[in-house]
Amino acid sequence: MEPTSTATCPIHFDPFTSPYLDDPYAVFPTLLAEAGPRYWPELDMWLVARHEQVDAVFKDPERFSAAVAQDPMQAPHPDAAAVLSTGFRPLKTMSNLDGPEHTRIRRHTQVGFSPRRLRAMEPIVRRAAVELIDALPATGEAELVAQLTHPLPATVIFSLLGFPAEDWAMVKSWCGDRMAFSWGRPDRDAQVQIAQDMVSYWQYCEAHVAAQLLDPGDHFTGDLLRIHLADPSTLSVAEITSVIYGLSFAGHETTTNLLSNTIRRLLEDRSRWEAILADRGAIDAAVVEGVRHDSSVVAWRRITTCEVALGDVTIPAGSRLLLLLGAANHDPARFTEPERFDPARPNAADALSFGWGKHYCLGATLAKLEVAVVLEELAARRPSLRLVPQTFSFNPNVSFRGPKQLRVELG
Ligand code: HEM
Protein backbone atom coordinates (compact mmCIF):
# COMPACT_ATOMS: atom_id res chain seq x y z
CA MET A 1 0.00 0.00 0.00
CA GLU A 2 1.37 3.44 -0.99
CA PRO A 3 1.29 5.91 1.90
CA THR A 4 -1.26 8.69 1.48
CA SER A 5 0.10 12.25 1.30
CA THR A 6 -1.26 12.95 4.79
CA ALA A 7 0.87 10.06 6.06
CA THR A 8 4.06 11.54 4.62
CA CYS A 9 6.61 13.26 6.87
CA PRO A 10 5.59 16.95 7.01
CA ILE A 11 9.17 18.24 6.95
CA HIS A 12 12.35 17.52 5.01
CA PHE A 13 15.56 16.93 6.86
CA ASP A 14 18.88 15.22 6.19
CA PRO A 15 19.82 13.04 9.17
CA PHE A 16 23.50 13.01 8.23
CA THR A 17 24.18 16.75 8.23
CA SER A 18 23.61 19.95 10.21
CA PRO A 19 21.26 21.31 11.42
CA TYR A 20 19.59 17.98 12.28
CA LEU A 21 22.79 16.47 13.67
CA ASP A 22 23.44 19.48 15.89
CA ASP A 23 19.97 19.40 17.39
CA PRO A 24 17.53 16.64 16.41
CA TYR A 25 15.37 17.76 19.34
CA ALA A 26 14.38 20.81 17.27
CA VAL A 27 12.78 18.51 14.66
CA PHE A 28 11.08 16.05 17.03
CA PRO A 29 8.16 18.29 18.16
CA THR A 30 6.89 18.49 14.55
CA LEU A 31 6.90 14.70 14.32
CA LEU A 32 5.38 14.28 17.79
CA ALA A 33 2.50 16.56 16.74
CA GLU A 34 1.49 13.98 14.09
CA ALA A 35 -1.00 11.37 15.27
CA GLY A 36 1.03 8.45 13.97
CA PRO A 37 4.15 7.31 12.10
CA ARG A 38 4.97 9.23 8.92
CA TYR A 39 6.51 7.90 5.72
CA TRP A 40 9.91 9.47 5.08
CA PRO A 41 10.74 9.33 1.36
CA GLU A 42 14.35 10.49 1.84
CA LEU A 43 15.33 7.12 3.35
CA ASP A 44 12.26 5.06 2.40
CA MET A 45 11.37 4.52 6.05
CA TRP A 46 8.55 5.29 8.46
CA LEU A 47 9.36 7.61 11.34
CA VAL A 48 7.83 6.61 14.68
CA ALA A 49 8.07 9.39 17.27
CA ARG A 50 5.40 9.08 19.97
CA HIS A 51 6.42 7.30 23.17
CA GLU A 52 3.30 5.16 23.21
CA GLN A 53 3.89 3.98 19.63
CA VAL A 54 7.64 3.32 19.95
CA ASP A 55 6.88 1.38 23.14
CA ALA A 56 4.18 -0.63 21.31
CA VAL A 57 6.64 -1.54 18.55
CA PHE A 58 9.31 -2.71 21.03
CA LYS A 59 6.73 -4.88 22.81
CA ASP A 60 5.48 -6.61 19.65
CA PRO A 61 8.43 -8.55 18.18
CA GLU A 62 6.11 -10.79 16.12
CA ARG A 63 4.90 -7.93 13.93
CA PHE A 64 7.99 -5.72 14.22
CA SER A 65 11.11 -7.73 13.45
CA ALA A 66 14.55 -6.62 14.67
CA ALA A 67 16.28 -8.25 11.66
CA VAL A 68 17.32 -4.90 10.11
CA ALA A 69 18.70 -3.33 13.30
CA GLN A 70 22.34 -3.51 12.19
CA ASP A 71 21.96 -3.32 8.38
CA PRO A 72 23.88 -0.56 6.61
CA MET A 73 21.63 2.45 5.92
CA GLN A 74 23.03 2.44 2.37
CA ALA A 75 24.21 -0.60 0.40
CA PRO A 76 27.98 -0.94 0.94
CA HIS A 77 30.19 0.18 -1.95
CA PRO A 78 31.31 -2.91 -3.97
CA ASP A 79 34.96 -2.24 -2.99
CA ALA A 80 34.02 -2.28 0.71
CA ALA A 81 31.87 -5.39 0.21
CA ALA A 82 34.88 -7.06 -1.47
CA VAL A 83 37.03 -6.29 1.59
CA LEU A 84 34.39 -7.71 3.94
CA SER A 85 34.12 -10.88 1.85
CA THR A 86 37.77 -11.65 2.63
CA GLY A 87 36.94 -12.62 6.21
CA PHE A 88 34.12 -10.86 8.01
CA ARG A 89 31.66 -13.51 9.12
CA PRO A 90 29.53 -12.49 12.13
CA LEU A 91 26.20 -14.28 12.53
CA LYS A 92 23.01 -12.55 13.62
CA THR A 93 23.04 -13.29 17.33
CA MET A 94 21.49 -10.54 19.44
CA SER A 95 20.00 -7.18 18.50
CA ASN A 96 19.18 -8.28 14.91
CA LEU A 97 17.92 -11.81 15.63
CA ASP A 98 14.27 -12.71 16.31
CA GLY A 99 12.33 -15.53 17.93
CA PRO A 100 13.48 -18.58 19.86
CA GLU A 101 17.05 -18.39 18.51
CA HIS A 102 17.42 -14.92 20.00
CA THR A 103 15.90 -16.12 23.28
CA ARG A 104 18.36 -19.04 23.45
CA ILE A 105 21.43 -16.88 22.86
CA ARG A 106 20.25 -14.09 25.14
CA ARG A 107 19.59 -16.58 27.97
CA HIS A 108 23.24 -17.58 27.89
CA THR A 109 24.73 -14.14 27.36
CA GLN A 110 22.88 -12.86 30.43
CA VAL A 111 25.48 -14.66 32.57
CA GLY A 112 27.98 -12.04 31.50
CA PHE A 113 25.82 -9.34 33.09
CA SER A 114 24.94 -11.23 36.27
CA PRO A 115 25.10 -9.34 39.57
CA ARG A 116 28.30 -11.31 40.34
CA ARG A 117 30.02 -10.21 37.11
CA LEU A 118 28.86 -6.60 37.54
CA ARG A 119 30.14 -6.52 41.13
CA ALA A 120 33.47 -7.75 39.80
CA MET A 121 33.46 -4.97 37.19
CA GLU A 122 32.94 -2.09 39.64
CA PRO A 123 36.58 -1.90 40.87
CA ILE A 124 37.81 -2.17 37.26
CA VAL A 125 35.56 0.74 36.23
CA ARG A 126 36.71 2.82 39.22
CA ARG A 127 40.40 2.12 38.75
CA ALA A 128 40.19 3.07 35.06
CA ALA A 129 38.19 6.23 35.86
CA VAL A 130 40.64 7.33 38.59
CA GLU A 131 43.67 6.71 36.37
CA LEU A 132 42.21 8.70 33.48
CA ILE A 133 40.96 11.56 35.67
CA ASP A 134 44.28 11.81 37.54
CA ALA A 135 46.10 11.97 34.18
CA LEU A 136 44.19 15.14 33.21
CA PRO A 137 46.23 18.35 33.58
CA ALA A 138 45.97 20.06 36.99
CA THR A 139 44.97 23.36 35.38
CA GLY A 140 44.04 24.62 31.93
CA GLU A 141 42.04 22.87 29.25
CA ALA A 142 41.33 19.18 28.61
CA GLU A 143 39.32 17.38 25.94
CA LEU A 144 37.27 14.78 27.76
CA VAL A 145 36.22 12.56 24.84
CA ALA A 146 39.83 11.68 23.97
CA GLN A 147 41.07 11.72 27.55
CA LEU A 148 38.22 10.10 29.46
CA THR A 149 34.91 9.15 27.84
CA HIS A 150 36.34 7.19 24.89
CA PRO A 151 39.10 5.22 26.65
CA LEU A 152 37.07 4.35 29.77
CA PRO A 153 34.32 2.20 28.17
CA ALA A 154 36.97 0.58 25.95
CA THR A 155 38.92 -0.53 29.02
CA VAL A 156 35.74 -1.77 30.70
CA ILE A 157 34.34 -3.79 27.79
CA PHE A 158 37.74 -5.22 26.80
CA SER A 159 38.25 -6.34 30.44
CA LEU A 160 34.78 -7.88 30.52
CA LEU A 161 35.51 -9.80 27.32
CA GLY A 162 38.92 -10.89 28.59
CA PHE A 163 40.99 -9.25 25.85
CA PRO A 164 44.61 -9.11 27.17
CA ALA A 165 45.58 -5.55 28.18
CA GLU A 166 48.57 -5.57 25.81
CA ASP A 167 46.14 -5.87 22.86
CA TRP A 168 43.91 -2.92 23.82
CA ALA A 169 45.77 -0.23 21.88
CA MET A 170 45.67 -2.35 18.72
CA VAL A 171 41.99 -3.26 19.16
CA LYS A 172 41.14 0.39 19.82
CA SER A 173 42.88 1.41 16.61
CA TRP A 174 40.35 -0.75 14.73
CA CYS A 175 37.33 0.90 16.37
CA GLY A 176 37.52 3.85 13.98
CA ASP A 177 34.15 4.98 12.81
CA ARG A 178 32.29 1.65 12.76
CA MET A 179 29.12 3.57 13.58
CA ALA A 180 29.32 5.27 10.21
CA PHE A 181 29.32 1.98 8.30
CA SER A 182 25.86 0.82 9.40
CA TRP A 183 24.25 4.02 10.58
CA GLY A 184 25.85 6.72 8.42
CA ARG A 185 26.58 7.57 4.78
CA PRO A 186 30.39 7.26 4.42
CA ASP A 187 32.00 7.65 1.00
CA ARG A 188 33.81 4.82 -0.80
CA ASP A 189 37.26 5.45 0.70
CA ALA A 190 35.93 5.69 4.24
CA GLN A 191 33.90 2.50 3.74
CA VAL A 192 36.95 0.59 2.52
CA GLN A 193 39.03 1.75 5.51
CA ILE A 194 36.27 0.86 7.98
CA ALA A 195 35.73 -2.52 6.28
CA GLN A 196 39.46 -3.32 6.65
CA ASP A 197 39.27 -2.50 10.36
CA MET A 198 36.11 -4.61 10.72
CA VAL A 199 37.87 -7.63 9.18
CA SER A 200 40.88 -7.16 11.49
CA TYR A 201 38.62 -6.82 14.51
CA TRP A 202 36.54 -9.87 13.54
CA GLN A 203 39.63 -12.01 12.98
CA TYR A 204 40.99 -10.87 16.34
CA CYS A 205 37.71 -12.02 17.99
CA GLU A 206 37.96 -15.40 16.21
CA ALA A 207 41.53 -15.88 17.46
CA HIS A 208 40.61 -14.77 20.99
CA VAL A 209 37.73 -17.25 21.24
CA ALA A 210 39.82 -20.06 19.73
CA ALA A 211 42.62 -19.43 22.27
CA GLN A 212 40.19 -19.25 25.20
CA LEU A 213 38.53 -22.49 24.13
CA LEU A 214 41.65 -24.36 25.28
CA ASP A 215 41.53 -22.87 28.79
CA PRO A 216 38.58 -20.48 29.40
CA GLY A 217 39.44 -17.59 31.73
CA ASP A 218 37.33 -15.89 34.41
CA HIS A 219 35.59 -13.39 32.14
CA PHE A 220 32.59 -13.16 29.84
CA THR A 221 34.20 -15.06 26.94
CA GLY A 222 35.15 -17.80 29.41
CA ASP A 223 31.59 -17.89 30.80
CA LEU A 224 30.18 -18.48 27.31
CA LEU A 225 32.81 -21.09 26.42
CA ARG A 226 32.11 -23.06 29.60
CA ILE A 227 28.46 -23.22 28.52
CA HIS A 228 29.59 -24.42 25.08
CA LEU A 229 31.97 -27.03 26.51
CA ALA A 230 29.28 -28.41 28.83
CA ASP A 231 26.92 -28.90 25.86
CA PRO A 232 28.12 -27.73 22.42
CA SER A 233 24.55 -27.83 21.05
CA THR A 234 23.48 -24.93 23.32
CA LEU A 235 25.86 -22.29 21.93
CA SER A 236 28.30 -22.69 19.03
CA VAL A 237 31.81 -21.24 18.83
CA ALA A 238 30.73 -19.14 15.82
CA GLU A 239 27.82 -17.72 17.86
CA ILE A 240 30.12 -16.93 20.79
CA THR A 241 32.56 -15.16 18.45
CA SER A 242 29.69 -13.12 16.98
CA VAL A 243 28.45 -12.13 20.44
CA ILE A 244 31.97 -11.06 21.46
CA TYR A 245 32.35 -9.00 18.29
CA GLY A 246 28.93 -7.37 18.76
CA LEU A 247 29.47 -6.58 22.43
CA SER A 248 32.81 -4.92 21.88
CA PHE A 249 30.90 -2.45 19.73
CA ALA A 250 27.65 -2.26 21.73
CA GLY A 251 29.52 -1.53 24.93
CA HIS A 252 31.85 1.10 23.60
CA GLU A 253 30.68 4.14 21.59
CA THR A 254 27.18 4.02 23.13
CA THR A 255 28.72 4.52 26.54
CA THR A 256 31.32 7.05 25.38
CA ASN A 257 28.44 9.18 24.13
CA LEU A 258 26.29 8.64 27.22
CA LEU A 259 29.20 9.77 29.41
CA SER A 260 29.89 12.83 27.24
CA ASN A 261 26.23 13.85 26.98
CA THR A 262 25.64 13.51 30.72
CA ILE A 263 28.78 15.43 31.71
CA ARG A 264 27.86 18.16 29.20
CA ARG A 265 24.30 18.49 30.55
CA LEU A 266 25.45 18.59 34.18
CA LEU A 267 28.10 21.22 33.53
CA GLU A 268 26.11 23.49 31.23
CA ASP A 269 24.01 24.63 34.19
CA ARG A 270 26.29 25.05 37.21
CA SER A 271 23.46 24.43 39.68
CA ARG A 272 23.14 20.84 38.40
CA TRP A 273 26.82 20.13 39.04
CA GLU A 274 26.70 21.87 42.42
CA ALA A 275 23.75 19.68 43.44
CA ILE A 276 26.00 16.67 42.87
CA LEU A 277 28.93 18.23 44.71
CA ALA A 278 26.61 18.87 47.66
CA ASP A 279 25.11 15.37 47.68
CA ARG A 280 26.69 12.36 45.94
CA GLY A 281 23.41 10.56 46.59
CA ALA A 282 21.99 12.74 43.78
CA ILE A 283 24.16 11.02 41.17
CA ASP A 284 21.97 8.00 40.39
CA ALA A 285 18.91 10.13 39.61
CA ALA A 286 21.04 12.46 37.46
CA VAL A 287 22.29 9.46 35.48
CA VAL A 288 18.75 8.19 34.83
CA GLU A 289 17.59 11.65 33.76
CA GLY A 290 20.71 12.00 31.57
CA VAL A 291 19.74 8.78 29.78
CA ARG A 292 16.29 10.27 29.09
CA HIS A 293 17.20 13.85 28.35
CA ASP A 294 20.16 13.39 25.99
CA SER A 295 20.26 9.72 25.01
CA SER A 296 23.32 8.38 23.24
CA VAL A 297 21.03 6.27 21.03
CA VAL A 298 18.41 8.51 19.43
CA ALA A 299 17.01 6.10 16.83
CA TRP A 300 16.69 2.34 16.33
CA ARG A 301 15.28 0.13 13.58
CA ARG A 302 12.58 -2.47 12.98
CA ILE A 303 10.81 -3.95 9.92
CA THR A 304 7.12 -4.91 9.75
CA THR A 305 6.39 -8.62 9.19
CA CYS A 306 2.76 -7.95 8.14
CA GLU A 307 0.46 -4.98 7.51
CA VAL A 308 0.00 -3.12 10.80
CA ALA A 309 -2.17 -0.29 12.11
CA LEU A 310 -0.30 2.21 14.28
CA GLY A 311 -1.69 5.58 15.38
CA ASP A 312 -3.71 6.95 12.46
CA VAL A 313 -1.97 4.95 9.70
CA THR A 314 -1.75 1.48 8.23
CA ILE A 315 1.82 0.49 7.42
CA PRO A 316 2.47 -2.14 4.73
CA ALA A 317 4.28 -5.43 5.42
CA GLY A 318 8.04 -5.18 4.83
CA SER A 319 8.25 -1.48 5.78
CA ARG A 320 11.36 -0.27 7.55
CA LEU A 321 10.71 1.81 10.67
CA LEU A 322 13.02 4.34 12.30
CA LEU A 323 12.05 4.47 15.97
CA LEU A 324 12.95 7.94 17.18
CA LEU A 325 13.93 7.15 20.76
CA GLY A 326 15.04 10.73 21.37
CA ALA A 327 11.60 11.99 20.30
CA ALA A 328 9.81 9.41 22.46
CA ASN A 329 11.94 10.51 25.43
CA HIS A 330 10.79 14.10 24.84
CA ASP A 331 7.13 13.30 24.22
CA PRO A 332 5.08 15.81 26.26
CA ALA A 333 2.28 13.24 26.43
CA ARG A 334 4.60 11.15 28.59
CA PHE A 335 7.05 13.58 30.24
CA THR A 336 6.04 16.92 31.74
CA GLU A 337 8.17 19.76 30.34
CA PRO A 338 10.33 17.23 28.49
CA GLU A 339 13.06 19.75 27.54
CA ARG A 340 13.87 20.39 31.20
CA PHE A 341 16.74 18.36 32.71
CA ASP A 342 15.13 17.36 35.99
CA PRO A 343 16.68 14.57 38.09
CA ALA A 344 13.61 14.70 40.36
CA ARG A 345 11.35 13.67 37.48
CA PRO A 346 9.32 10.71 38.80
CA ASN A 347 9.14 8.78 35.52
CA ALA A 348 12.57 9.42 33.94
CA ALA A 349 13.10 5.63 33.90
CA ASP A 350 10.27 5.31 31.35
CA ALA A 351 12.69 6.60 28.70
CA LEU A 352 13.20 4.22 25.78
CA SER A 353 16.94 4.90 25.28
CA PHE A 354 17.82 1.26 26.06
CA GLY A 355 14.89 -0.14 24.07
CA TRP A 356 12.28 -2.26 25.81
CA GLY A 357 11.05 -5.86 25.87
CA LYS A 358 12.94 -8.87 24.48
CA HIS A 359 15.91 -6.88 23.19
CA TYR A 360 16.17 -4.52 26.18
CA CYS A 361 19.81 -3.45 26.33
CA LEU A 362 21.87 -6.08 28.15
CA GLY A 363 24.46 -3.50 29.12
CA ALA A 364 22.13 -0.88 30.60
CA THR A 365 23.19 -1.50 34.22
CA LEU A 366 26.88 -1.57 33.32
CA ALA A 367 26.60 1.62 31.23
CA LYS A 368 24.82 3.47 34.07
CA LEU A 369 27.44 2.17 36.53
CA GLU A 370 30.20 3.62 34.34
CA VAL A 371 28.53 7.03 34.23
CA ALA A 372 27.87 7.05 38.00
CA VAL A 373 31.46 6.08 38.84
CA VAL A 374 32.89 8.75 36.51
CA LEU A 375 30.66 11.41 38.06
CA GLU A 376 31.64 10.31 41.58
CA GLU A 377 35.34 10.47 40.76
CA LEU A 378 35.09 13.77 38.86
CA ALA A 379 33.17 15.30 41.78
CA ALA A 380 35.78 14.02 44.25
CA ARG A 381 38.88 14.90 42.20
CA ARG A 382 37.88 17.75 39.88
CA PRO A 383 35.00 19.61 41.55
CA SER A 384 35.90 22.91 39.84
CA LEU A 385 35.46 21.38 36.36
CA ARG A 386 33.81 23.83 33.91
CA LEU A 387 32.67 23.67 30.32
CA VAL A 388 34.66 25.84 27.91
CA PRO A 389 32.35 27.85 25.63
CA GLN A 390 32.31 25.79 22.43
CA THR A 391 30.28 24.66 19.45
CA PHE A 392 29.67 20.92 19.53
CA SER A 393 29.86 18.73 16.45
CA PHE A 394 28.47 15.21 16.07
CA ASN A 395 29.27 12.06 14.12
CA PRO A 396 27.13 11.83 10.97
CA ASN A 397 24.88 8.85 11.64
CA VAL A 398 21.19 8.37 12.45
CA SER A 399 21.47 6.48 15.73
CA PHE A 400 24.46 7.27 17.92
CA ARG A 401 24.65 10.77 19.32
CA GLY A 402 27.38 12.38 21.36
CA PRO A 403 29.79 15.31 20.88
CA LYS A 404 33.01 14.58 19.00
CA GLN A 405 34.82 16.76 21.53
CA LEU A 406 34.00 17.97 25.04
CA ARG A 407 36.38 20.71 26.12
CA VAL A 408 36.58 21.58 29.80
CA GLU A 409 38.56 23.94 32.00
CA LEU A 410 40.33 22.48 35.05
CA GLY A 411 41.77 24.00 38.22
C1 HEM B 1 28.23 -1.43 28.61
C2 HEM B 1 27.55 -0.89 27.63
C3 HEM B 1 26.55 -1.62 26.76
C4 HEM B 1 26.48 -2.94 26.41
C5 HEM B 1 27.42 -4.06 26.81
C6 HEM B 1 25.29 -3.10 25.59
C7 HEM B 1 24.86 -4.29 25.05
C8 HEM B 1 23.69 -4.46 24.34
C9 HEM B 1 23.24 -5.73 23.77
C10 HEM B 1 23.98 -7.04 23.86
C11 HEM B 1 22.07 -5.50 23.14
C12 HEM B 1 21.22 -6.52 22.38
C13 HEM B 1 20.26 -7.18 23.32
C14 HEM B 1 19.38 -8.18 22.63
O1 HEM B 1 19.22 -8.17 21.42
O2 HEM B 1 18.80 -9.03 23.34
C15 HEM B 1 21.77 -4.10 23.31
C16 HEM B 1 20.67 -3.51 22.80
C17 HEM B 1 20.48 -2.18 22.85
N1 HEM B 1 21.23 -1.25 23.54
FE1 HEM B 1 22.90 -1.57 24.56
N2 HEM B 1 24.70 -1.88 25.44
C18 HEM B 1 25.43 -0.96 26.15
C19 HEM B 1 25.19 0.37 26.27
C20 HEM B 1 24.11 1.00 25.72
C21 HEM B 1 23.81 2.40 25.86
C22 HEM B 1 24.65 3.40 26.66
C23 HEM B 1 22.65 2.63 25.18
C24 HEM B 1 21.89 3.91 25.03
C25 HEM B 1 21.71 4.77 26.00
C26 HEM B 1 22.23 1.36 24.60
C27 HEM B 1 21.09 1.18 23.83
C28 HEM B 1 20.66 -0.01 23.33
C29 HEM B 1 19.50 -0.16 22.47
C30 HEM B 1 18.60 0.95 21.96
C31 HEM B 1 19.38 -1.51 22.17
C32 HEM B 1 18.35 -2.16 21.24
C33 HEM B 1 17.13 -2.50 22.02
C34 HEM B 1 16.09 -3.18 21.17
O3 HEM B 1 16.34 -3.56 20.02
O4 HEM B 1 14.98 -3.34 21.69
N3 HEM B 1 23.13 0.41 24.95
N4 HEM B 1 22.76 -3.50 24.05
Side-chain angles (χ1 to χ4, degrees):
M1 191 198 72
E2 280 296 304
T4 62
S5 60
T6 51
T8 302
C9 179
I11 41 169
H12 292 286
F13 62 95
D14 177 356
F16 304 115
T17 56
S18 295
Y20 179 81
L21 278 185
D22 302 333
D23 187 11
Y25 293 92
V27 169
F28 294 154
T30 308
L31 299 168
L32 285 164
E34 301 287 318
R38 291 296 176 258
Y39 180 70
W40 192 32
E42 278 93 332
L43 289 189
D44 183 24
M45 299 181 95
W46 289 74
L47 298 171
V48 189
R50 291 192 175 196
H51 186 285
E52 187 189 9
Q53 290 163 8
V54 175
D55 189 53
V57 171
F58 275 137
K59 289 178 176 162
D60 189 351
E62 305 288 324
R63 296 193 303 157
F64 301 99
S65 160
V68 292
Q70 307 270 346
D71 288 358
M73 298 293 292
Q74 60 175 11
H77 188 282
D79 295 348
V83 172
L84 292 179
S85 71
T86 61
F88 181 70
R89 293 178 278 270
L91 305 170
K92 290 191 177 218
T93 48
M94 301 277 313
S95 63
N96 54 359
L97 185 64
D98 294 317
E101 290 292 271
H102 169 264
T103 308
R104 171 178 60 84
I105 293 174
R106 178 156 175 134
R107 194 173 63 242
H108 297 308
T109 48
Q110 263 161 349
V111 297
F113 298 90
S114 64
R116 180 183 86 82
R117 216 11 100 233
L118 287 179
R119 264 196 309 279
M121 289 308 292
E122 212 258 9
I124 294 172
V125 175
R126 196 169 298 279
R127 202 178 322 122
V130 166
E131 266 175 31
L132 290 163
I133 292 168
D134 284 353
L136 296 172
T139 57
E141 221 181 280
E143 199 286 281
L144 289 191
V145 175
Q147 293 176 267
L148 176 62
T149 68
H150 191 262
L152 180 95
T155 299
V156 172
I157 199 74
F158 298 160
S159 305
L160 181 83
L161 300 178
F163 291 173
E166 58 270 24
D167 295 348
W168 292 354
M170 175 180 71
V171 178
K172 256 189 247 175
S173 75
W174 294 326
C175 290
D177 198 1
R178 284 178 300 171
M179 289 179 288
F181 200 86
S182 284
W183 290 274
R185 197 172 50 192
D187 62 18
R188 181 247 167 229
D189 290 355
Q191 283 189 42
V192 168
Q193 176 61 57
I194 299 167
Q196 278 158 355
D197 289 344
M198 286 162 74
V199 171
S200 304
Y201 207 143
W202 168 256
Q203 289 175 341
Y204 176 84
C205 292
E206 280 183 330
H208 172 65
V209 171
Q212 286 296 319
L213 190 56
L214 306 173
D215 181 18
D218 184 18
H219 43 61
F220 181 73
T221 308
D223 288 343
L224 295 186
L225 285 169
R226 275 183 286 277
I227 293 169
H228 166 80
L229 289 169
D231 178 0
S233 71
T234 47
L235 204 55
S236 72
V237 169
E239 285 168 343
I240 293 172
T241 310
S242 302
V243 169
I244 299 305
Y245 178 85
L247 271 187
S248 59
F249 175 70
H252 191 180
E253 276 88 347
T254 52
T255 313
T256 294
N257 289 335
L258 185 62
L259 280 161
S260 305
N261 292 345
T262 309
I263 295 170
R264 172 190 172 189
R265 296 306 174 189
L266 286 172
L267 293 183
E268 74 185 1
D269 177 340
R270 200 74 203 157
S271 68
R272 295 174 191 159
W273 184 238
E274 277 163 6
I276 281 177
L277 295 179
D279 174 15
R280 303 296 151 79
I283 287 180
D284 284 350
V287 173
V288 175
E289 174 66 346
V291 168
R292 181 201 71 85
H293 184 267
D294 198 355
S295 175
S296 57
V297 182
V298 287
W300 207 242
R301 280 179 281 165
R302 289 290 188 262
I303 185 165
T304 54
T305 59
C306 56
E307 186 178 275
V308 287
L310 197 58
D312 62 345
V313 296
T314 301
I315 302 176
S319 298
R320 297 183 312 140
L321 310 184
L322 191 65
L323 310 178
L324 296 170
L325 312 183
N329 292 345
H330 282 228
D331 185 346
R334 186 70 176 204
F335 302 103
T336 312
E337 290 184 71
E339 305 312 321
R340 202 153 59 84
F341 182 96
D342 177 12
R345 188 180 290 286
N347 62 347
D350 293 345
L352 295 172
S353 311
F354 292 117
W356 205 256
K358 274 184 177 300
H359 288 276
Y360 182 77
C361 175
L362 260 188
T365 306
L366 178 59
K368 286 187 284 185
L369 172 75
E370 290 182 47
V371 182
V373 167
V374 164
L375 295 180
E376 282 165 20
E377 297 302 335
L378 279 175
R381 287 155 195 274
R382 302 305 177 111
S384 63
L385 191 70
R386 284 176 192 279
L387 271 191
V388 169
Q390 63 201 287
T391 304
F392 294 104
S393 65
F394 297 84
N395 288 307
N397 75 82
V398 286
S399 285
F400 300 101
R401 179 175 159 77
K404 284 187 191 169
Q405 294 200 323
L406 183 65
R407 290 167 43 226
V408 294
E409 180 80 33
L410 298 155

